[in-house]
Amino acid sequence: MDDLKRMAVFACVVQHGSMSGAARALGMSTSAVSQQVRKLESDGGVTLLHRSTRQLALTEAGQRYHARCAAMCAAADQARAELAASRDAPSGELRLSATVGFARHIAPALGDMLAANPALRLRLLVDDSPIDLINARIDLAVRFGRLQDSTWAARRLCAMNVYLCASADWVARYGMPAHPDALLSHSWLGLVRDGEAMFAELRNTMGEARALRMEPRIASNNQLSLQQMCEAGLGVAMLGSSDVHDALQTGRLVRLLPQWELGTLDVWAVTPQRDAQPAKVRQAIAALHAYLRQVPGMLD
């Protein structure tokens, strides 16, 4: 590493035409600059510069050596410029992980950003199961609910209410329930692992609380599939207000027990590093946040 520093000093001396000029540019003393050049010459066993009281001149060996030193400095400058460009302007590949149901928001959220930055590429990995951000080289992941403790950095994008939903046919068949306990005997659809039960904690406008434990008749690792089965009348499901907004508006789904609240589900932007985020990640998070604030059913 010391040799690389001396090579950079030597290139600076040639660039400025004097030891004193290089010293001013580098913030070093003239004697320190001279010492670095002499060390290069002693280590290499050759003279690089002819010195006089008025000027410096490269020897033949010095000319060849300077060409390599100058190329090294130019490569370092280019590396710094590319790093700064990555920090200041989105470029390269943005690897983004999202759930199947959320993937529909990516195009409207990031479309303008992609159009404005032709050097930026997007790789969207869609999976309802959490993936390891490091092994999959993920720059940004959209996650929901309570996050597990980790070294990842998380920024809250928005939230959505959680609704109890069923299809209009289901309501016509079984009637509108008046109390959470009335749902315990019905078929439930749940996003749970094998052998797991479902839990729901409800509170009504009078302050009454009720905790339910249900065994799902239909379980899946895909929230969108659960919503589709709910719309088909196969049971009751807990669904996000943004996900079901259109279905509620068109009557494909009906909200059950609207006087009872199930709480909210936070939406997070998760990144594998906390500091020095590149521009592509910073701007993608900002674009997602701005877009989601306008989506019906989302809470700021």
Side-chain angles (χ1 to χ4, degrees):
M1 296 301 293
D2 288 341
D3 283 346
L4 296 178
K5 178 181 178 181
R6 294 183 186 113
M7 291 168 70
V9 170
F10 174 64
C12 190
V13 169
V14 176
Q15 178 185 356
H16 289 85
S18 68
M19 299 284 185
S20 59
R24 287 191 295 272
L26 296 171
M28 300 170 61
S29 67
T30 302
S31 61
V33 170
S34 179
Q35 183 180 8
Q36 295 291 320
V37 176
R38 286 198 303 272
K39 180 64 174 173
L40 279 178
E41 292 176 321
S42 64
D43 288 349
V46 296
T47 300
L48 300 174
L49 292 169
H50 291 306
R51 300 164 176 82
S52 71
T53 55
R54 292 181 177 273
Q55 63 180 8
L56 298 174
L58 286 167
T59 64
E60 182 179 354
Q63 289 177 341
R64 292 195 300 269
Y65 191 66
H66 172 257
R68 299 296 186 185
C69 293
M72 179 198 72
C73 292
D77 289 342
Q78 179 64 26
R80 282 193 293 268
E82 291 179 2
L83 189 61
S86 174
R87 182 190 66 233
D88 299 332
S91 61
E93 183 179 72
L94 174 65
R95 296 176 65 87
L96 193 155
S97 169
T99 61
V100 175
F102 189 85
R104 64 191 174 95
H105 294 299
I106 300 302
L110 301 185
D112 289 346
M113 176 183 169
L114 288 165
N117 297 279
L120 178 65
R121 306 185 307 278
L122 174 66
R123 182 172 293 274
L124 176 61
L125 289 82
V126 179
D127 196 329
D128 278 4
S129 300
I131 62 176
D132 188 287
L133 282 92
I134 302 299
N135 289 337
R137 297 185 293 113
I138 298 298
D139 298 303
L140 172 62
V142 179
R143 297 282 171 86
F144 297 84
R146 182 176 299 174
L147 300 177
Q148 295 180 350
D149 291 337
S150 73
T151 58
W152 300 340
R155 175 184 170 183
R156 183 180 176 277
L157 295 173
C158 60
M160 62 178 86
N161 287 309
V162 180
Y163 293 160
L164 287 172
C165 295
S167 70
D169 288 343
W170 186 96
V171 174
R173 190 182 316 130
Y174 298 108
M176 182 68 77
H179 191 273
D181 289 346
L183 294 173
L184 289 172
S185 60
H186 289 284
S187 296
W188 283 80
L189 316 174
L191 192 73
V192 294
R193 297 184 179 89
D194 291 344
E196 288 186 349
M198 294 175 60
F199 297 91
E201 295 184 0
L202 301 94
R203 185 176 297 274
N204 65 13
T205 54
M206 303 299 292
E208 180 185 358
R210 185 71 177 94
L212 303 181
R213 183 185 186 278
M214 302 80 67
E215 297 291 339
R217 184 185 181 195
I218 298 177
S220 174
N221 66 345
N222 183 284
Q223 188 75 10
L224 181 59
S225 296
L226 291 175
Q227 180 174 333
Q228 291 169 342
M229 288 185 280
C230 189
E231 292 179 16
L234 298 180
V236 179
M238 294 183 288
L239 302 171
S241 55
S242 175
D243 295 335
V244 300
H245 180 269
D246 291 345
L248 292 174
Q249 293 294 312
T250 58
R252 301 195 309 274
L253 286 176
V254 176
R255 183 182 175 189
L256 307 180
L257 302 172
Q259 70 275 24
W260 289 80
E261 300 291 340
L262 272 167
T264 59
L265 185 71
D266 288 327
V267 184
W268 301 91
V270 179
T271 59
Q273 62 189 63
R274 296 182 179 276
D275 302 319
Q277 295 285 3
K280 62 183 179 182
V281 173
R282 297 197 314 271
Q283 292 193 25
I285 292 174
L288 284 167
H289 183 245
Y291 165 77
L292 291 173
R293 295 175 65 185
Q294 313 301 318
V295 173
M298 288 292 190
L299 308 172
D300 195 4

